[in-house]
Amino acid sequence: MEKGAERARPKPLRLAVAPEADEAVVELVHQADAVVVDLADAQALAWTAWTDLASFPRSLPASVAWVQLPSAGIERWVEAGIIDRARVWTSAAGVCAVPVAEHALTLLLTGVRLLPESLRAAEWARTDLLPRAGTLGGTVVGIVGGGGIARALIPALTALGAEARVVNRSGRPVPGAAETRPIAGIGDFWEAVDHVVLAAPDTPDTRHLVGAAELDAMKPTAWLINVARGPIVDTEALLGALDSAGIAGAGLDVTDPEPLPAAHPLWGHPRAIVTPHIADAAMTRRGFRQRLADNVRRWTAGEELIGVVDPARGY
Amino acid sequence: MEKGAERARPKPLRLAVAPEADEAVVELVHQADAVVVDLADAQALAWTAWTDLASFPRSLPASVAWVQLPSAGIERWVEAGIIDRARVWTSAAGVCAVPVAEHALTLLLTGVRLLPESLRAAEWARTDLLPRAGTLGGTVVGIVGGGGIARALIPALTALGAEARVVNRSGRPVPGAAETRPIAGIGDFWEAVDHVVLAAPDTPDTRHLVGAAELDAMKPTAWLINVARGPIVDTEALLGALDSAGIAGAGLDVTDPEPLPAAHPLWGHPRAIVTPHIADAAMTRRGFRQRLADNVRRWTAGEELIGVVDPARGY
């Protein structure tokens, strides 16, 4: 607080940090020349708890014009009725895009190159695996969602000789994608691509976007990768497609239900690779801090904030 | 043969294809405006058998000025005393570089992101895995070997936010690498990098390049990836490092001995990912044909051949 005062900036941002003002965040706020204040005096609130929605103030002071939320996906905040239209809300959408894209690539490569079979083997199964192991080179990878994950994933796919086709809301071209089409005109997307990566927010529009018909349309050699949100895929339909070899396999970092119960048939399924929502490994907290620092700087400079939530869209 | 004659080129290359003149190769030779002849009349020989060294002619006609071998690594041809200095020998080095680089990336990502642990799990182990799962973003990946594999791997690493440092023979800078140093001045390479990818030929210089001292110098969080040749790593030393958690793990597409015997301790080792020499999946035969076609065209045009073997270096 002193630091902001010493520099005598005309209007340092008065920011409340709750429910826990951890040292790293406070240090970062000071570096951004803002001051940490109590909520009653605050112009903005940085909420630092990923899972604690219950202690979020039911009524914010009218002075709070901006709230920075900690997570990328904010559907639970929307469902809880926390997000109002009285102020600007920003999410951490995009900060984890690079590690999540890397995890999507990991799951896709792991599937295409039959790593689960190699890991189960206890002998040199070259004759069996060599003719069946694939490569991403020369393939077309369809990405549902044109946000930060797609933008981080596309250069890596391109470097491996794969082509990316993106489906997003607007159809506005995503840099590096060979094609971008709007979800309303998704057409033959499922059958045209070699693999599908789901990297879209969980909204009423995307819930169960991948069902029996879409899985049936996909190539039998296709891998379905989900690093977004479990409910985008109809789990029962997916199990059907995996059991009948309708697709080559599924790499899932998110599931529905989540956490996946111990007895669920996806565990140990020969065509499923399940990781327990770790795509954003180690980056979550760091990413939030970076986003907060960036937005504090932007607020102070009068620039547009990043990650502004549209309550109507739910992300 | 007729095709070359019809076009009345002054000197179509007279090429022998042995031990098997498969249709695809013959068609390709014709497309390149060369003619397929018996070995006795040949200027050049394309040898199409990966493993059949025994039937290779012990004495080639003096007219044979160039031999195209089918594989990328030619150490067995050198050991068998087949490669002489009486003519030019070309290997298929580099044709599989892109799929092999992809496999190296797959093994590295699989290791760093703890995929083997997720695949062994039968319950949602998020609390255990999230703090330990890593990312390549922000890491330094050391690559031993500055050939096609490194050149194909570096753009993918860069796209994921990792930095590549290369060790090669000459120290001549490899495009995209943050640093290239000669193997003679390898210095603190092993301790300075976060992970190591072996992508060098198997020569007397590289045999057991990675032994106990190198493994000991590597970071305890490091993954060692070998997509080159098994003997570059001292297997006993590696097992010691894995058993003592001296490094995080090893991703091996090649082993010593190879094939890895069924009872070998690397099978099922919690810190080892073994794939049965499938890095170049599906590309091998296609790659050889492309290389042959390219070299026939170059020969005819009087250009330098690709993949020329240096008998002194053994690759």
Side-chain angles (χ1 to χ4, degrees):
Chain A
M1 213 180 297
E2 296 69 33
K3 194 174 179 185
E6 278 166 18
R7 291 213 188 167
R9 294 182 79 92
K11 287 176 184 175
L13 173 65
R14 298 190 314 275
L15 181 74
V17 180
E20 282 178 41
D22 73 77
E23 257 182 54
V25 170
V26 170
E27 170 62 23
L28 177 156
V29 169
H30 286 170
Q31 277 172 9
D33 290 330
V35 295
V36 176
V37 299
D38 287 340
L39 185 58
D41 298 322
Q43 295 172 286
L45 166 63
W47 189 254
T48 58
W50 266 253
T51 48
D52 182 6
L53 283 73
S55 66
F56 194 89
R58 297 318 292 174
S59 165
L60 291 172
S63 62
V64 172
W66 161 42
V67 180
Q68 174 71 54
L69 297 172
S71 57
I74 48 93
E75 65 277 7
R76 292 187 312 124
W77 300 81
V78 172
E79 284 163 15
I82 287 173
I83 292 177
D84 60 28
R85 291 168 187 275
R87 49 190 55 84
V88 175
W89 299 75
T90 53
S91 73
V95 296
C96 294
V98 172
V100 172
E102 185 187 284
H103 199 75
L105 184 67
T106 305
L107 290 171
L108 184 54
L109 286 169
T110 299
V112 165
R113 288 191 166 260
L114 309 177
L115 262 284
E117 293 191 53
S118 278
L119 285 163
R120 280 193 294 266
E123 59 173 16
W124 197 256
R126 183 166 204 243
T127 316
D128 174 31
L129 296 181
L130 188 61
R132 295 192 292 115
T135 169
L136 287 185
T139 67
V140 176
V141 177
I143 306 173
V144 178
I149 298 170
R151 284 160 208 261
L153 180 57
I154 290 170
L157 291 173
T158 305
L160 295 172
E163 179 186 303
R165 295 195 198 162
V166 173
V167 175
N168 63 6
R169 170 182 282 267
S170 64
R172 202 177 311 125
V174 170
E179 181 195 286
T180 309
R181 59 174 81 172
I183 196 156
I186 194 165
D188 67 350
F189 176 79
W190 306 102
E191 51 262 48
V193 300
D194 292 303
H195 306 287
V196 172
V197 175
L198 302 176
D202 176 22
T203 68
D205 281 354
T206 60
R207 201 153 297 181
H208 282 202
L209 176 68
V210 181
E214 291 72 22
L215 290 159
D216 196 48
M218 283 172 66
K219 296 182 180 176
T221 47
W223 278 82
L224 173 70
I225 307 302
N226 192 359
V227 289
R229 286 292 185 261
I232 299 176
V233 177
D234 176 342
T235 302
E236 285 310 306
L238 176 62
L239 275 166
L242 296 177
D243 287 342
S244 65
I247 63 172
L252 310 172
D253 188 54
V254 291
T255 57
D256 180 24
E258 185 177 316
L260 200 63
H264 201 278
L266 280 173
W267 290 119
H269 195 293
R271 296 188 183 276
I273 303 167
V274 177
T275 56
H277 206 143
I278 59 171
D280 55 2
M283 279 295 293
T284 313
R285 198 156 282 274
R286 178 152 53 118
F288 165 64
R289 288 182 196 138
Q290 285 168 348
R291 170 60 50 86
L292 176 63
D294 205 4
N295 270 343
V296 167
R297 190 196 57 71
R298 283 169 175 263
W299 175 281
T300 306
E303 296 172 15
E304 204 179 337
L305 301 181
I306 311 179
V308 173
V309 172
D310 179 344
R313 290 185 184 173
Y315 68 92
Chain B
M1 214 183 297
E2 296 72 31
K3 196 176 181 186
E6 278 166 20
R7 294 214 184 166
R9 293 181 80 91
K11 286 175 183 175
L13 172 66
R14 299 190 314 277
L15 180 73
V17 180
E20 281 179 39
D22 73 77
E23 257 180 54
V25 170
V26 171
E27 170 62 23
L28 177 156
V29 170
H30 285 169
Q31 277 172 10
D33 291 330
V35 295
V36 176
V37 298
D38 286 340
L39 184 59
D41 298 323
Q43 296 172 285
L45 167 63
W47 190 255
T48 57
W50 266 251
T51 49
D52 183 6
L53 283 74
S55 68
F56 194 89
R58 295 318 292 175
S59 165
L60 290 172
S63 62
V64 173
W66 161 43
V67 180
Q68 173 70 55
L69 297 173
S71 57
I74 48 93
E75 65 277 8
R76 293 188 313 126
W77 301 80
V78 173
E79 285 164 16
I82 287 173
I83 291 176
D84 61 27
R85 292 168 186 272
R87 50 190 55 85
V88 174
W89 299 76
T90 52
S91 72
V95 297
C96 294
V98 173
V100 172
E102 185 187 285
H103 200 74
L105 184 67
T106 304
L107 291 171
L108 184 53
L109 286 170
T110 299
V112 165
R113 288 190 166 262
L114 309 178
L115 262 284
E117 292 191 52
S118 277
L119 284 164
R120 279 194 294 266
E123 58 174 15
W124 197 256
R126 184 166 203 242
T127 316
D128 174 32
L129 296 182
L130 188 62
R132 295 193 291 116
T135 169
L136 288 184
T139 67
V140 177
V141 178
I143 306 174
V144 178
I149 298 169
R151 283 159 210 263
L153 180 57
I154 290 170
L157 291 173
T158 305
L160 294 172
E163 179 185 303
R165 295 196 198 161
V166 174
V167 175
N168 63 7
R169 171 181 282 268
S170 65
R172 202 178 311 125
V174 170
E179 180 196 286
T180 309
R181 59 175 82 172
I183 195 154
I186 194 163
D188 67 350
F189 176 79
W190 306 102
E191 51 263 47
V193 301
D194 292 303
H195 307 288
V196 172
V197 175
L198 301 176
D202 176 23
T203 68
D205 282 354
T206 60
R207 202 153 297 181
H208 282 203
L209 175 69
V210 180
E214 291 72 23
L215 289 160
D216 195 47
M218 284 172 65
K219 297 182 180 177
T221 47
W223 278 81
L224 173 70
I225 307 301
N226 192 358
V227 289
R229 287 291 185 261
I232 300 176
V233 177
D234 176 342
T235 302
E236 285 310 307
L238 175 62
L239 275 166
L242 296 178
D243 287 343
S244 65
I247 62 172
L252 310 172
D253 188 53
V254 291
T255 57
D256 180 23
E258 183 177 316
L260 199 65
H264 200 280
L266 279 172
W267 290 120
H269 195 293
R271 296 188 183 275
I273 303 168
V274 178
T275 57
H277 206 144
I278 58 170
D280 55 1
M283 280 295 294
T284 314
R285 197 155 282 273
R286 180 152 53 118
F288 165 63
R289 288 183 195 138
Q290 285 170 347
R291 170 59 52 87
L292 177 62
D294 204 4
N295 270 343
V296 167
R297 190 196 57 71
R298 284 167 174 264
W299 176 282
T300 306
E303 296 171 14
E304 204 179 338
L305 301 181
I306 310 178
V308 173
V309 172
D310 179 343
R313 289 187 186 173
Y315 67 93

